[in-house]
Amino acid sequence: MNPRSPFSPLSALALVLAGGALLVAMLWMIGAGVAAGDINDGGAHGGGRGLNGYGALYRLLEATGHDTDFARDEAALEQPGLLILTPPQEANGADIAKIVTRHRAIGPVLVITPKWLARDASTDQPGVARGWVRLDNTQAPEWQGFLDDVRVAIGPAAAPVVDLRGAHAALPTPAHVMGGTGRNLAPRVVDAKGRILAATYRQQDGAQLALIFEPDLANNAGFARFDNAAITLRLIDDLLPPGQRQVRFDLTLNGLGREPNLLTLAFTPPYLAVTLALILAGVAVLWRAYARFGPPLAPARDIAFGKRALAENSAGLIARARRFHLLPAPYADTARGRIAAALGLAPHGDPAMIDDAIERAIGARAPDHSYIAASAALRAARRPSEILRAARQLHDVERLLTR
């Protein structure tokens, strides 16, 4: 006696489907890097929330309707839209130039140069959160191989600092302001002495490339002033083509890139089609398992017991020998004997007399049936289909007389 299962078929199917969905979601999160951890590591990049980071700019762009995201691999760097680069001081100029050259054929590029040398703030102190930094000193970058005709230097700014539209910037440390010089620079933000704090770079192919030399215009420390945020947002909107709102912050130059792996490829075209096919195959297997839910039926024996085995073996021998013409007469004689016994007639008497008696009996019970006609049809049949049809008719007559 089998105890009843505590789970219904629908409950078991729901548990399996929910587990499969969670497994696929977990694999996708691992491949996409969602579970890679917080990128707020105190660095000067789009995910940094310290004074030198650009997390405030990222959130401002989100709040103003821009489609913002992080670029952590080469595929993301080749997506359309504005690409914002925030390389550290020790970055390789050739790497920066390679990224800029590849992306400027797709969309505009904004490079924000670093200035601050920062160290992590101790979280043991009250009120200090993870990712906060202390700004110790300033240092201008030296990126040989990237815009070698542009020079940067740090010095005091001459107030006021304004953009092309006359909006004033409010820098947090006016004594340590980075400016750039170069004959291909078109100023966007300058101080009273003409030092360039932000500019666009004139290129022969017409591609848009902008540089913010003074990072306090765009970092979290500078965004404490509304004017700086407005100037930076206006510069970004001017770089974007009409109708385009995609903005990506590069993280590869900041050491937060992600190398492709098997899980990443599994959810990336064209391999995504194979992944979906495997998922559908798994769903089909689950459905087949659900359709036959319960204990399996006991298989039938290959060799049956008793009379059934004898009958099946005899039928197989006759079918193999193709001696179907030997079946009708014996079957008709056997049926006559059974009907005669049921009617109280002598089974071994004169066949003609027995047939007449059976015919009268069937005529009294079912005038539309004829025993003699059914018996004659069976004896005259030769093909298997004819024999089977005539045998059924004779069986109907027998059933009417013996029930």
Coordinates of all heavy atoms in Angstrom, one line a residue, residues 46 58 69 98 103 105 132 158 169 189 196 198 200-201 235 242 254-255 297 319 338 346 365 390 392:
G46 N 32.6 57.1 -11.7 CA 31.1 57.3 -11.7 C 30.5 56.6 -10.5 O 29.3 57.0 -10.2
Y58 N 26.4 61.1 -11.7 CA 25.7 60.0 -12.3 C 24.2 60.1 -11.9 O 23.3 59.9 -12.7 CB 26.3 58.7 -11.7 CG 25.7 57.4 -12.3 CD1 26.3 56.8 -13.4 CD2 24.5 56.9 -11.7 CE1 25.8 55.6 -13.9 CE2 24.0 55.7 -12.2 CZ 24.6 55.1 -13.3 OH 24.1 53.9 -13.8
D69 N 24.5 54.5 -17.4 CA 25.0 53.1 -17.2 C 26.5 53.2 -17.0 O 27.1 54.2 -17.3 CB 24.6 52.2 -18.3 CG 24.6 50.7 -17.9 OD1 25.0 50.5 -16.7 OD2 24.3 49.8 -18.7
K98 N 43.3 54.9 -27.2 CA 42.6 53.8 -27.9 C 41.1 53.9 -27.7 O 40.3 53.7 -28.6 CB 43.2 52.5 -27.4 CG 42.6 51.3 -28.0 CD 43.2 50.0 -27.5 CE 42.6 48.8 -28.1 NZ 43.2 47.5 -27.5
H103 N 35.7 55.1 -29.7 CA 34.3 55.5 -29.5 C 33.9 56.8 -30.2 O 32.7 57.0 -30.5 CB 34.2 55.8 -28.0 CG 32.7 56.1 -27.6 ND1 31.8 55.1 -27.4 CD2 32.1 57.2 -27.4 CE1 30.6 55.6 -27.1 NE2 30.8 56.9 -27.1
A105 N 34.0 57.5 -33.2 CA 33.3 57.1 -34.4 C 31.8 56.8 -34.1 O 31.0 56.7 -35.1 CB 34.0 56.0 -35.2
W132 N 34.1 57.1 1.7 CA 34.5 58.4 1.9 C 36.1 58.5 1.9 O 36.8 57.6 2.2 CB 34.0 59.0 3.3 CG 32.5 59.2 3.3 CD1 31.6 58.7 2.4 CD2 31.8 60.0 4.2 NE1 30.4 59.2 2.7 CE2 30.4 59.9 3.8 CE3 32.1 60.7 5.4 CZ2 29.4 60.6 4.5 CZ3 31.1 61.3 6.1 CH2 29.8 61.3 5.7
A158 N 41.6 83.0 -11.0 CA 41.2 84.4 -10.9 C 39.7 84.5 -11.1 O 39.1 84.1 -12.1 CB 41.9 85.2 -12.0
A169 N 30.8 79.7 -11.8 CA 31.1 78.5 -11.1 C 31.6 78.9 -9.7 O 32.2 80.0 -9.5 CB 32.1 77.7 -11.8
V189 N 34.7 76.8 -20.2 CA 34.7 77.4 -18.9 C 36.1 78.0 -18.7 O 37.1 77.3 -18.8 CB 34.4 76.4 -17.8 CG1 34.4 77.1 -16.4 CG2 33.1 75.7 -18.0
I196 N 41.8 78.0 -19.1 CA 40.8 77.1 -19.6 C 40.6 76.0 -18.6 O 41.5 75.2 -18.3 CB 41.1 76.6 -21.0 CG1 41.3 77.7 -22.0 CG2 40.0 75.6 -21.4 CD1 41.8 77.2 -23.3
A198 N 37.6 74.1 -18.8 CA 36.8 73.0 -19.6 C 36.8 73.5 -21.0 O 36.7 74.7 -21.3 CB 35.4 72.8 -19.0
T200 N 36.3 72.0 -25.5 CA 36.1 71.0 -26.5 C 37.4 71.0 -27.3 O 38.0 72.0 -27.5 CB 34.9 71.3 -27.4 OG1 35.0 72.6 -27.9 CG2 33.6 71.1 -26.6
Y201 N 37.7 69.8 -27.8 CA 39.0 69.6 -28.6 C 38.6 69.5 -30.0 O 37.8 68.7 -30.4 CB 39.7 68.4 -28.1 CG 41.1 68.2 -28.7 CD1 42.2 68.8 -28.2 CD2 41.2 67.3 -29.8 CE1 43.4 68.6 -28.8 CE2 42.5 67.2 -30.4 CZ 43.6 67.8 -29.9 OH 44.8 67.6 -30.5
L235 N 27.1 71.4 -20.3 CA 28.2 70.9 -21.2 C 27.8 69.5 -21.7 O 28.0 69.2 -22.9 CB 29.5 70.9 -20.4 CG 30.7 70.3 -21.1 CD1 31.0 71.0 -22.4 CD2 31.9 70.2 -20.2
P242 N 21.0 65.6 -30.9 CA 19.6 65.8 -30.6 C 18.9 64.5 -30.5 O 19.1 63.6 -31.3 CB 19.1 66.6 -31.8 CG 20.4 67.3 -32.4 CD 21.5 66.3 -32.1
N254 N 39.7 52.6 -14.4 CA 39.8 52.7 -12.9 C 40.0 51.4 -12.3 O 39.9 51.3 -11.0 CB 38.5 53.4 -12.4 CG 38.3 54.8 -12.9 OD1 37.6 55.0 -13.9 ND2 39.0 55.8 -12.4
G255 N 40.3 50.3 -13.1 CA 40.5 49.0 -12.5 C 39.3 48.2 -12.1 O 39.4 47.3 -11.4
L297 N 3.4 2.6 -14.0 CA 2.6 1.4 -14.1 C 3.5 0.2 -14.3 O 4.6 0.3 -14.8 CB 1.7 1.5 -15.3 CG 0.6 2.6 -15.3 CD1 -0.2 2.6 -16.6 CD2 -0.3 2.4 -14.1
A319 N -0.3 -16.8 -37.9 CA 0.0 -15.5 -38.7 C 1.3 -15.7 -39.4 O 1.4 -15.2 -40.6 CB 0.0 -14.3 -37.7
R338 N -21.2 -24.7 -28.7 CA -21.5 -23.9 -27.5 C -23.0 -23.5 -27.5 O -23.6 -23.5 -26.5 CB -20.6 -22.6 -27.5 CG -19.1 -22.9 -27.2 CD -18.4 -21.6 -26.8 NE -18.5 -20.6 -27.8 CZ -17.5 -20.5 -28.8 NH1 -16.5 -21.3 -28.8 NH2 -17.6 -19.5 -29.7
A346 N -28.2 -31.8 -28.5 CA -27.1 -32.7 -28.5 C -26.0 -32.1 -29.3 O -26.1 -31.9 -30.5 CB -27.5 -34.0 -29.0
R365 N -36.0 -14.9 -31.3 CA -35.5 -13.9 -30.4 C -35.1 -12.6 -31.2 O -35.3 -11.5 -30.7 CB -34.3 -14.4 -29.7 CG -34.6 -15.6 -28.7 CD -33.5 -15.9 -27.9 NE -33.7 -17.0 -27.0 CZ -32.9 -17.5 -26.1 NH1 -31.7 -16.8 -25.9 NH2 -33.2 -18.5 -25.3
A390 N -16.8 -11.8 -40.3 CA -17.8 -12.9 -40.2 C -17.8 -13.5 -38.8 O -18.9 -13.8 -38.2 CB -17.5 -13.9 -41.2
R392 N -17.3 -11.9 -36.0 CA -18.0 -11.0 -35.1 C -19.5 -11.1 -35.3 O -20.3 -11.1 -34.3 CB -17.6 -9.6 -35.4 CG -16.2 -9.2 -34.9 CD -15.8 -7.8 -35.3 NE -14.5 -7.5 -34.8 CZ -13.8 -6.4 -35.1 NH1 -14.3 -5.5 -36.0 NH2 -12.6 -6.1 -34.5

